[in-house]
Amino acid sequence: MTDRLKVERKRILDTNTLILLGVLLAVVLIINFLANDYVKTIANLCGIYVTLGLSMQLINGFTGLFSLGHAGFMAIGAYTVALLTITPENKAMNFFLEPIVPFLENVQWSLLPALLMGGIIAAIFGFLIGAPVLRLTDDYLAIATLGFAEIIRVIFTNTQSLTNGALGLKAIPKYSSILWSWIVAFITILFMIFLMEGSYGKAFKSIKEDEIAARSMGINLFKHKVMSFTFSSFLAGIAGGLMAIHLGTIDPNMFRITLTFNIILIMVLGGIGNINGTVISAVVVTAAMEILRFLDSSINLGFIKIPGIPGMRMVIFSIILMLVVIIRKDRLLKEN
Amino acid sequence: MLKIDNVTMKFGGVIAANKFNANIKKGQIVGLIGPNGAGKTTIFNVVTGVYKPTEGRVIFNAGDKEHIISGKRPDEIAKLGICRTFQNIRLFKDMSVLDNVFVANHLRIKSNVFSSILRTPGYRKEEKEMLEKSLYLLDRVGLLKERNEKANSLPYGKQRRLEIARALATDPKLLLLDEPAAGMNPQESSELMEFILNIKDEFDLTVFLIEHHMDVVMGICEEIFVLDHGELIAQGDPEAIQNNQRVIEAYLGVE
């Protein structure tokens, strides 16, 4: 074989990614040891949204499947982690309307296995609903996954002895360290980069680019779609679990479509199919959502007083999202 | 090698192909011609599994045993060794030229997804082989220099060549080319003819092609099938086809 046909050694982690990871690591460590609780809370959320944004990117941005089921998978992860970590005494306190199902009564796991279990159960659901749903094309897939997320929410509202229904779960042990969220976020970043640089990741991309060509080149569409969907659900489940231990209390109404919308916002602002961009946009959007909280309360400009409108900051984000979609014309949905 | 047995393809009331029969032997270059809308691409779509024929069956034998491929999925058919190019080019536009060919190797991968993420030695070895083969194929079609460019930034003629390289990466035994010379000038189409003859020998291929450039079809095909309105109206070697009255009528119209 001649010299010019030699396979060039390529680095999986390019310079930009390494710089980004280095800066993030430094900032997270500084915040963890020096900053006050308010900043830590925001940093913690940022880490969770990095994982969520990348998980959305995997299924929508890379595989081209417009799925809106993230809130449902997060709910599954969050409830799994909550039920596995709450102490038996607190469980008895939570479930005062109806006693908890016996097999969960005395369970108390430590965080890491509980988180993994949250991811695994979300992944199992992803795998099971993926089988029928992923045969649908774009718009129908979006409707079906949205329906799935709503069904999960309604089920969790009505299974009193399993999820405590609309009362939600309280006294979830708080693991206050922001390191948990960020360890998961860093692992997710690396997972995504290594997945997408490999043969399977490129097969996902080819499915997004052109399904007909991809299957004619021997790529089993269904198998790869289910794979991508399952990974994405796993990550969403883990992030849901992190959300549960971050907030300390969860209820079914947290996991509405608006949650999925936030994640889509992060993905679109980060750039479809752009891992570094998603990480940055997750951090910026999450931080901005906290910082812009003053928009929701009344503002006194001295000469004029604007009354507080709850949800005002979401209007700002919706406008930004529209502008980005119009200006960048990113391919959110597949062509043809 | 490929036996198309009494295949009929109907779309609602429209009969795109009617009782089509063809038998392609190993090592042949076979042409499929006919006026626009005659059902040529329909036949390709039936063979590659994009359509399931309304009636009839397609049998493929790559030398091991007979497979009835009508009704199988396109990816299963590709794995058996039939690959194609598209009339209206269908590259993975936003991926690099190299990745377009690389991903066409994916169907034969043995490592699972976890070893690809962990980059185990087994996967790395496999990936290296896949990359080497991709580079070789790109060099073969003269696109080595452009390997890091995006596929849709290539000019039209190079996109056609990239499609052939991508199809070859799946290790086909039967290669289906849908109008490979479309948009080419006489100089380019004679280069293409030479290229097809070369890859046929090098990769031990059987070639089935649709083409409107008669000089290409008459120049390299050993056998030609002529379709008109879904019907097979003639079959034979180039000379017989050129002198066939029905073919001339189909192309030029009847007085």
Side-chain angles (χ1 to χ4, degrees):
Chain A
M1 187 159 294
T2 52
D3 224 24
R4 66 208 176 95
L5 290 180
K6 276 241 176 76
V7 177
E8 299 147 44
R9 272 197 159 277
K10 74 172 177 198
R11 281 158 58 196
I12 304 288
L13 297 168
D14 62 17
T15 321
N16 288 342
T17 312
L18 286 174
I19 293 172
L20 179 67
L21 289 177
V23 169
L24 281 176
L25 187 63
V27 171
V28 168
L29 288 176
I30 291 170
I31 290 178
N32 185 47
F33 292 115
L34 298 175
N36 60 25
D37 280 351
Y38 176 62
V39 176
K40 272 187 190 171
T41 309
I42 297 178
N44 200 345
L45 265 182
C46 287
I48 297 172
Y49 272 101
V50 166
T51 306
L52 285 170
L54 289 175
S55 126
M56 185 63 99
Q57 198 67 262
L58 174 58
I59 189 76
N60 279 359
F62 286 120
T63 321
L65 300 168
F66 198 58
S67 159
L68 296 175
H70 259 59
F73 294 114
M74 285 178 69
I76 293 170
Y79 271 90
T80 308
V81 169
L83 288 170
L84 290 176
T85 53
I86 297 177
T87 58
E89 305 85 66
N90 282 331
K91 270 182 194 153
M93 221 167 64
N94 266 312
F95 287 81
F96 59 83
L97 276 183
E98 251 180 66
I100 186 169
V101 283
F103 74 93
L104 284 172
E105 201 177 351
N106 290 311
V107 177
Q108 198 192 350
W109 291 16
S110 56
L111 180 62
L112 187 61
L115 265 184
L116 282 176
M117 190 45 102
I120 288 168
I121 291 184
I124 291 172
F125 270 84
F127 181 78
L128 291 179
I129 77 147
V133 158
L134 291 172
R135 295 185 191 279
L136 302 171
T137 47
D138 297 339
D139 343 9
Y140 298 106
L141 176 67
I143 295 166
T145 47
L146 180 60
F148 161 77
E150 280 299 292
I151 288 169
I152 290 291
R153 193 173 63 82
V154 172
I155 289 178
F156 281 10
T157 313
N158 289 292
T159 46
Q160 196 69 40
S161 57
L162 182 65
T163 60
N164 206 21
L167 294 169
L169 294 169
K170 294 174 191 66
I172 303 164
K174 277 199 170 194
Y175 294 80
S176 55
S177 161
I178 66 171
L179 290 178
W180 273 110
S181 303
W182 277 98
I183 287 170
V184 171
F186 279 118
I187 292 175
T188 308
I189 296 170
L190 293 175
F191 168 83
M192 285 294 291
I193 293 173
F194 278 85
L195 174 66
M196 294 318 295
E197 278 300 318
S199 181
Y200 284 86
K202 282 173 182 163
F204 292 166
K205 279 188 204 163
S206 76
I207 292 175
K208 182 201 164 146
E209 294 281 326
D210 192 326
E211 282 197 7
I212 292 176
R215 62 183 186 168
S216 293
M217 298 306 129
I219 291 166
N220 185 336
L221 293 187
F222 185 63
K223 180 180 145 196
H224 286 83
K225 283 180 180 179
V226 170
M227 206 186 275
S228 164
F229 197 66
T230 308
F231 281 144
S232 174
S233 315
F234 178 80
L235 293 175
I238 298 251
L242 288 169
M243 198 72 106
I245 58 159
H246 167 65
L247 297 171
T249 160
I250 53 173
D251 68 79
N253 277 333
M254 276 172 53
F255 302 99
R256 284 179 179 277
I257 176 71
T258 42
L259 186 60
T260 309
F261 170 80
N262 288 348
I263 308 168
I264 289 181
L265 176 79
I266 287 170
M267 175 185 77
V268 174
L269 291 181
I272 305 289
N274 183 341
I275 293 175
N276 290 350
T278 309
V279 175
I280 295 169
S281 106
V283 172
V284 171
V285 168
T286 313
M289 279 205 195
E290 289 303 319
I291 292 163
L292 294 179
R293 221 171 248 288
F294 72 90
L295 289 172
D296 287 7
S297 54
S298 62
I299 302 165
N300 193 348
L301 293 174
F303 55 94
I304 188 168
K305 203 170 178 197
I306 304 167
I309 309 166
M312 190 60 199
R313 61 202 166 112
M314 286 319 294
V315 175
I316 305 272
F317 280 109
S318 302
I319 293 171
I320 295 174
L321 180 61
M322 281 196 282
L323 289 178
V324 168
V325 170
I326 292 168
I327 296 165
R328 296 254 308 266
K329 289 197 179 65
D330 252 329
R331 291 193 297 147
L332 185 60
L333 289 172
K334 244 184 298 188
E335 280 175 3
N336 58 69
Chain B
M1 168 166 244
L2 183 76
K3 190 160 181 253
I4 303 174
D5 185 14
N6 234 0
V7 163
T8 300
M9 186 75 221
K10 290 185 195 159
F11 298 100
V14 183
I15 301 173
N18 192 15
K19 298 203 169 71
F20 182 78
N21 282 292
N23 205 341
I24 298 171
K25 291 186 205 72
K26 188 173 184 322
Q28 273 187 318
I29 299 184
V30 177
L32 181 60
I33 63 171
N36 285 324
K40 305 181 295 292
T41 300
T42 304
I43 296 292
F44 268 30
N45 282 337
V46 167
V47 171
T48 54
V50 177
Y51 299 147
K52 187 176 187 295
T54 323
E55 278 166 44
R57 32 180 218 164
V58 184
I59 298 160
F60 178 63
N61 185 350
D64 46 350
K65 66 185 185 79
E66 288 200 339
H67 302 273
I68 298 171
I69 57 172
S70 40
K72 279 197 196 295
R73 292 195 312 268
D75 58 281
E76 294 173 318
I77 293 174
K79 267 198 190 121
L80 287 175
I82 301 182
C83 201
R84 70 178 294 184
T85 64
F86 295 88
Q87 183 183 354
N88 43 347
I89 301 173
R90 282 184 171 274
L91 288 168
F92 306 125
K93 297 192 197 86
D94 264 355
M95 292 164 70
S96 74
V97 168
L98 177 59
D99 278 351
N100 264 273
V101 183
F102 176 79
V103 82
N105 288 285
H106 181 72
L107 80 169
R108 314 245 179 246
I109 197 165
K110 289 182 203 75
S111 314
N112 63 30
V113 62
F114 297 105
S115 27
S116 98
I117 295 166
L118 297 171
R119 302 188 69 75
T120 59
Y123 171 77
R124 283 217 299 270
K125 182 165 168 280
E126 221 176 348
E127 188 187 69
K128 186 158 174 276
E129 286 165 5
M130 286 158 75
L131 279 169
E132 275 169 359
K133 190 170 123 202
S134 308
L135 289 172
Y136 175 74
L137 287 171
L138 282 177
D139 190 39
R140 202 68 186 72
V141 298
L143 290 173
L144 192 62
K145 262 210 318 254
E146 288 92 342
R147 64 182 174 279
N148 292 324
E149 285 176 30
K150 273 193 179 172
N152 66 346
S153 72
L154 293 181
Y156 184 78
K158 288 184 176 176
Q159 293 198 7
R160 285 230 168 269
R161 282 192 264 155
L162 178 55
E163 266 215 327
I164 296 180
R166 184 179 68 174
L168 288 174
T170 66
D171 291 332
K173 312 228 166 41
L174 174 65
L175 180 63
L176 276 64
L177 302 171
D178 199 341
E179 298 199 24
M184 288 185 178
N185 62 33
Q187 165 71 22
E188 286 168 329
S189 30
S190 80
E191 280 170 20
L192 178 79
M193 281 160 66
E194 192 139 323
F195 176 71
I196 293 174
L197 288 170
N198 282 338
I199 57 169
K200 176 192 163 253
D201 288 340
E202 182 179 344
F203 299 102
D204 196 17
L205 296 172
T206 306
V207 180
F208 190 19
L209 61 92
I210 295 176
E211 193 44 75
H212 281 301
H213 283 52
M214 283 308 141
D215 42 346
V216 174
V217 181
M218 299 303 165
I220 57 173
C221 294
E222 293 153 43
E223 189 162 20
I224 297 168
F225 292 88
V226 189
L227 272 180
D228 189 26
H229 296 295
E231 305 275 349
L232 180 67
I233 58 169
Q235 166 186 3
D237 58 43
E239 206 176 336
I241 295 297
Q242 272 166 328
N243 300 319
N244 186 304
Q245 196 55 35
R246 286 191 71 188
V247 177
I248 297 167
E249 280 170 16
Y251 269 91
L252 300 176
V254 195
E255 273 290 305

